[in-house]
């Protein structure tokens, strides 16, 4: 390690706003460990977020941090990256933020293949506003605005990003931070738009409303499937057999797609954009 | 001397001011600004990007500004509406940026793209909350150039979003102009950061003008920027006293602007009958003043170049000698309330608003004056 995860925290910002049992803390910790391995300090890293529980995380990290408006983090990040191509820009967003109000920006950032890493925390609900229906909520799930069960189909965020042209698409889970670490490392190494969907949990709302249990019980629901769900990972975590939980089905995790094409910065010929970052 | 339109003057003013980033979305009647910059800005070492909508446009501009570049976007009414949330963000987070609004008839898609001054109140109150707003209103092609330069200066010095708003007439009208680029010493800079780089930097510590002394991102000062109310480190706060103090400071720091860009006073000295007009309407009002003077009426014109903020005391003093004030606008009467609030009740204030997409004419103003003159003549 070049530094430690703890050293990258803004300790003076604690306590954080996350609820006990929330999966976001595990994802944040994983991000910090990845960053700590790559950097001495985060002087050249900008963390840009929208609005929601996951977006609050950037404020806890001792970097150039930008907490923007609901859904628009990718637009701020795009301007910043084009102005300062030498910076490593990482966007933290949620499923409501990135796929609901901000869905348009996601597909266009992917289409441009701008060299950003977008980490989308998917807890299948609007947590900060009280557990309402999200574009990622699966059918039949209960939320505070789908009291009779959701009747809408949900977005597959990774498939959407792939279709829109993201040159790197991966998925991880709060349940398996080791696998997530590998996906995040590869996303940060990638040149061009890299998108990582992370399955995480809202214990206060989604878990409670759907009787999925809280904390660790809810985490376990991320890893229940009869199918092989690993994609392009160095080591595959073992699964527990699927049983009981009706509204959750484990999505494939790992590196789902990756290709090499010029980043937007290269296409624009930006002088500050180096071909190879270390 | 060259013959150019207002929108081109705007693009060239921005380049002369050192514009290095433009993020925009096409909309008439502002599109020429983006078109011109798409070819000239990259040649000037800047970045042009066409974003997916107006929210993205201003978002990208704010991001680029945090990266240290002079950045702007250009739009018209419907797009200006979509930008309101980010105008509020830029105000509270103190991110310099310039927004050009070439006004057309609204509400909604309205009459594309007939001229209007219908966004004046939107520029003031379009974004939620008690926001302090800055809006400049040029009235000629040459002034579009000059005020675009000044918009960047003010945005940087005060770390605030500046709106430059003009109606479609000014945007598309061609005039013979001699553009004078600003000298290096005419370009204002952002306040320098204080203190050493490192973590927990107090980027929002205000200087003596009440302006955050914020470094750009990526220079080793690690700080937080948010649309939440925040302390000097940028860390979120819900402290009611901090909220009140912040709002007060953000308003106070803009107060000098009407004095930096004073109003034009045309034949105002002894005038008892005064037109208040801005943008294209002020041009016909000037002609109406000349015609009324030929008829012996003590007429004058007061033309604000800064619509927001308003210096009430300055307005009151400048119009103290008036008996009748006609506020002529290409809307149903938006700035007239500003004038009415500032002036004593002894002055008769009349709104001459026009909507529908046709310009105000000199004859209309003369007819309005004829209706009002008796009192003016009698008392003078």
């Amino acid at each position: 390690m070049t530094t430690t995860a703890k050293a990258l925290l803004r300790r003076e910002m604690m306590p954080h706003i996350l609820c006990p049992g929330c999966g976001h803390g595990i994802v944040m910790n994983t991000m910090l460990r990845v960053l700590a391995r790559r950097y001495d300090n985060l002087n050249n890293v900008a963390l840009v977020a929208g609005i929601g529980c996951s977006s609050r995380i950037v404020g806890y990290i001792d970097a150039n941090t930008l907490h923007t408006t609901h859904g628009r983090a990718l637009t701020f990040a795009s301007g910043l990256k084009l102005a300062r191509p030498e910076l490593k820009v990482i966007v933290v967003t949620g499923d409501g933020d990135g796929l609901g109000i901000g869905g348009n920006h996601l597909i266009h950032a992917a289409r441009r293949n701008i060299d950003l890493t977008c980490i989308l925390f998917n807890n299948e609900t609007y947590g900060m506003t009280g557990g309402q229906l999200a574009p990622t909520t699966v059918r039949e799930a209960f939320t505070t605005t789908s009291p009779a069960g959701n009747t809408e189909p949900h977005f597959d965020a990774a498939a959407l990003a792939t279709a829109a042209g993201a040159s790197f698409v991966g998925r991880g889970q709060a349940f398996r931070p080791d696998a997530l670490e590998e996906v995040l490392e590869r996303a940060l190494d990638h040149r061009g738009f890299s998108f990582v969907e992370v399955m995480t949990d809202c214990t206060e709302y989604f878990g409670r409303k759907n009787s999925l249990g809280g904390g660790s019980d809810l985490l376990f629901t991320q890893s229940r499937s009869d199918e092989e769900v690993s994609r392009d990972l160095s080591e595959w975590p073992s699964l527990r057999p699927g049983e009981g939980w009706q509204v959750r089905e484990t999505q494939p995790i790992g590196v789902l797609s990756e290709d090499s094409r010029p980043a937007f910065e290269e296409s624009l010929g930006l002088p500050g954009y180096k071909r190879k970052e270390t | 001397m060259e013959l150019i339109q207002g929108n081109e003057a705007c693009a060239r003013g921005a380049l002369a001011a050192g514009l290095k980033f433009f993020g925009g979305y096409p909309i008439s009647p502002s599109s020429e600004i983006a078109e011109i910059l798409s070819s000239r800005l990259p040649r000037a070492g800047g970045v042009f990007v066409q974003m997916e909508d107006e929210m993205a446009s201003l978002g990208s501009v704010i991001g680029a500004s945090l990266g240290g570049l002079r950045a702007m976007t250009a739009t018209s009414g419907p797009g200006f509406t979509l930008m309101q949330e980010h105008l509020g963000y830029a105000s509270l987070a103190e991110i310099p940026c310039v927004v050009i609004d070439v006004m057309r008839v609204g509400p909604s898609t309205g009459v594309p793209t007939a001229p209007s001054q219908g966004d004046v109140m939107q520029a003031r109150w379009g974004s939620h909350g008690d926001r302090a707003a800055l809006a400049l209103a040029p009235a000629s092609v040459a002034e579009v150039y000059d005020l675009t330069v000044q918009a960047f200066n003010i945005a940087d010095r005060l770390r605030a979003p500046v709106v430059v708003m003009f109606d479609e007439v000014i945007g598309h009208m061609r005039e013979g102009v001699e553009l004078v680029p600003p000298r290096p010493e005419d370009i204002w800079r952002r306040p320098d950061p204080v203190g050493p780089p490192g973590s927990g930097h107090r980027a929002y510590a205000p200087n003596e003008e009440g302006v955050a002394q914020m470094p750009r991102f990526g220079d080793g000062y690690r700080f937080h920027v948010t649309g939440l109310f925040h302390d000097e480190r940028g860390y979120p706060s819900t402290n009611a006293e901090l909220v009140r103090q912040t709002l007060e400071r953000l308003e106070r720091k803009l107060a000098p602007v009407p004095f930096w860009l004073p109003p034009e006073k045309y034949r105002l000295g002894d005038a008892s009958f005064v037109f208040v007009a801005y943008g294209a309407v002020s041009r016909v009002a000037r002609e109406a003043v000349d015609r009324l003077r030929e008829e012996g009426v003590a007429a004058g014109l007061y033309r604000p170049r800064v619509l927001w903020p308003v210096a009430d005391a300055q307005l009151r003093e400048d119009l103290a000698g008036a008996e009748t004030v006609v506020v002529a606008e290409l809307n149903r009467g938006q700035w007239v309330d500003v004038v009415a609030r500032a002036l004593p009740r002894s002055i008769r204030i009349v709104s001459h608003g026009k909507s529908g997409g046709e310009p105000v004419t000199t004859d209309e103003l003369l007819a309005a004056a004829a209706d009002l003159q008796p009192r003016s003549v009698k008392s003078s």
Side-chain angles (χ1 to χ4, degrees):
Chain A
M1 276 204 185
T2 318
T3 182
T4 61
K6 205 170 170 181
L8 295 180
L9 270 180
R10 284 181 176 140
R11 308 273 296 273
E12 67 273 25
M13 282 278 269
M14 298 296 132
H16 57 72
I17 62 153
L18 303 174
C19 305
C22 171
H24 287 12
I26 298 171
V27 183
M28 176 183 172
N29 193 11
T30 308
M31 282 171 55
L32 285 171
R33 275 186 281 116
V34 170
L35 291 171
R37 197 154 48 228
R38 299 171 75 95
Y39 301 100
D40 290 327
N41 60 54
L42 301 182
N43 282 347
N44 292 312
V45 176
L47 294 164
V48 185
I51 296 293
C53 300
S54 55
S55 293
R56 283 295 189 96
I57 278 174
V58 301
Y60 304 136
I61 302 176
D62 187 18
N64 302 279
T65 55
L66 176 57
H67 178 228
T68 70
T69 54
H70 197 17
R72 323 289 174 209
L74 278 164
T75 73
F76 288 65
S78 295
L80 176 62
K81 179 67 180 174
L82 295 174
R84 301 293 296 275
E86 72 277 17
L87 296 181
K88 189 74 175 173
V89 180
I90 301 168
V91 173
V92 172
T93 182
D95 50 308
D97 193 59
L99 296 170
I101 189 167
N104 195 32
H105 309 306
L106 174 64
I107 59 175
H108 287 279
R111 174 180 64 81
R112 291 188 187 101
N113 199 34
I114 185 166
D115 190 359
L116 304 171
T117 297
C118 176
I119 304 170
L120 184 144
F121 289 49
N122 183 356
N123 62 2
E124 301 172 61
T125 195
Y126 284 86
M128 188 166 269
T129 46
Q132 293 84 8
L133 182 71
T136 44
T137 309
V138 295
R139 269 191 208 267
E140 298 177 10
F142 296 106
T143 70
T144 52
T145 50
S146 60
N150 177 26
T151 52
E152 297 181 16
H154 72 282
F155 258 140
D156 178 333
L160 179 73
T162 308
S167 53
F168 178 102
V169 177
R171 188 187 283 120
Q173 299 171 333
F175 177 65
R176 287 306 304 250
D178 53 344
L180 175 61
E181 220 172 293
E182 184 178 344
V183 175
L184 288 178
E185 283 280 10
R186 285 178 59 183
L188 290 172
D189 282 339
H190 180 78
R191 312 267 302 161
F193 189 74
S194 52
F195 178 80
V196 179
E197 178 185 18
V198 186
M199 306 311 294
T200 166
D201 287 306
C202 178
T203 158
E204 282 297 306
Y205 294 108
F206 194 85
R208 184 161 54 83
K209 280 276 176 189
N210 292 286
S211 306
L212 292 166
S216 57
D217 285 344
L218 189 54
L219 269 182
F220 277 124
T221 68
Q222 292 184 356
S223 189
R224 296 204 159 252
S225 174
D226 297 326
E227 291 173 39
E228 172 61 66
V229 293
S230 162
R231 302 283 184 274
D232 194 19
L233 280 174
S234 54
E235 173 200 3
W236 169 236
S238 61
L239 290 171
R240 289 150 61 113
E243 57 172 56
W245 286 274
Q246 289 148 20
V247 300
R248 300 203 106 184
E249 191 181 329
T250 300
Q251 299 286 310
I253 66 169
V255 177
L256 306 178
S257 71
E258 185 171 19
D259 67 43
S260 176
R261 59 191 175 89
F264 188 42
E265 294 90 326
E266 288 171 74
S267 305
L268 287 172
L270 296 187
Y273 188 73
K274 300 190 197 77
R275 277 210 68 86
K276 202 72 185 165
E277 266 174 350
T278 50
Chain B
M1 185 73 92
E2 54 184 328
L3 190 66
I4 64 168
Q5 65 167 205
N7 282 348
E8 181 178 350
C10 178
R12 287 171 57 178
L15 289 167
L19 176 75
K20 284 290 176 283
F21 184 91
F22 183 95
Y25 187 81
I27 185 167
S28 304
S30 75
S31 296
E32 293 86 358
I33 298 170
E35 288 169 4
I36 292 164
L37 289 172
S38 70
S39 99
R40 294 200 187 187
L41 184 53
R43 281 191 270 141
V47 175
F48 173 92
V49 59
Q50 186 167 313
M51 296 301 288
E52 53 271 18
D53 58 35
E54 285 90 347
M55 295 166 284
S57 298
L58 191 47
S60 71
V61 162
I62 293 170
S65 180
L66 266 166
L69 302 187
R70 283 197 154 181
M72 83 167 194
T73 187
T75 189
S76 185
F80 192 52
T81 299
L82 292 175
M83 289 179 184
Q84 292 300 325
E85 188 184 8
H86 283 171
L87 279 169
Y89 184 92
S91 288
L92 183 58
E94 296 185 70
I95 314 298
C97 56
V98 172
V99 174
I100 308 295
D101 178 23
V102 189
M103 291 179 281
R104 61 191 242 186
V105 172
S108 193
T109 314
V111 185
T113 51
S116 159
Q117 294 175 330
D119 299 351
V120 169
M121 273 297 169
Q122 186 179 203
R124 179 65 194 90
W125 294 116
S127 192
H128 64 282
D130 285 312
R131 190 175 80 91
L134 268 173
L136 314 182
S140 70
V141 171
E143 198 177 47
V144 167
Y145 181 89
D146 293 338
L147 287 190
T148 302
V149 172
Q150 291 310 322
F152 282 98
N153 277 344
I154 293 165
D156 271 1
R157 176 162 169 182
L158 300 183
R159 292 201 67 99
V162 180
V163 175
V164 181
M165 52 200 320
F166 43 94
D167 45 82
E168 185 270 350
V169 172
I170 301 291
H172 282 158
M173 175 178 68
R174 288 177 190 276
E175 281 188 296
V177 291
E178 195 99 52
L179 300 180
V180 183
R183 299 164 299 173
E185 61 266 35
D186 296 331
I187 299 294
W188 297 352
R189 294 172 55 240
R190 300 177 183 185
D192 287 327
V194 287
S199 72
H201 180 69
R202 305 184 91 80
Y204 285 94
N207 65 8
E208 67 283 357
E209 289 191 317
V211 182
Q213 299 165 99
M214 192 192 289
R216 59 178 196 169
F217 266 10
D219 285 351
Y221 299 87
R222 301 191 296 275
F223 58 95
H224 189 51
V225 176
T226 177
L228 294 161
F229 277 87
H230 45 267
D231 64 20
E232 290 188 352
R233 296 168 302 181
Y235 295 173
S237 171
T238 54
N239 181 296
E241 193 49 39
L242 177 144
V243 170
R244 285 190 286 269
Q245 284 172 5
T246 303
L247 285 172
E248 196 274 329
R249 176 173 68 79
L250 294 180
E251 188 173 320
R252 179 164 37 87
K253 76 173 183 180
L254 306 188
V257 175
F259 300 94
W260 293 341
L261 297 171
E264 184 195 2
K265 298 170 207 168
Y266 181 67
R267 303 181 90 162
L268 197 63
D270 63 339
S272 58
F273 184 89
V274 176
F275 287 110
V276 172
Y278 48 90
V281 182
S282 70
R283 301 167 69 102
V284 290
R286 177 194 307 269
E287 194 186 336
V289 165
D290 288 343
R291 298 260 292 274
L292 287 169
R293 285 273 175 181
E294 283 165 21
E295 293 165 19
V297 179
L301 167 67
Y302 181 88
R303 179 176 76 85
R305 295 193 294 164
V306 177
L307 294 179
W308 310 113
V310 177
D312 279 6
Q314 182 194 51
L315 192 59
R316 194 156 44 241
E317 192 183 315
D318 288 342
L319 297 180
E323 290 170 9
T324 300
V325 171
V326 177
V327 183
E329 305 175 82
L330 212 48
N331 54 47
R332 287 172 62 83
Q334 296 195 14
W335 216 66
V336 62
D337 291 341
V338 168
V339 177
R341 192 180 64 185
L343 299 189
R345 284 170 182 233
S346 54
I347 299 178
R348 178 165 57 163
I349 295 159
V350 179
S351 172
H352 182 86
K354 185 174 183 182
S355 51
E358 294 161 333
V360 173
T361 64
T362 310
D363 286 343
E364 272 168 41
L365 293 184
L366 290 173
D371 287 345
L372 297 165
Q373 255 178 46
R375 179 179 149 175
S376 164
V377 166
K378 217 184 300 172
S379 53
S380 61

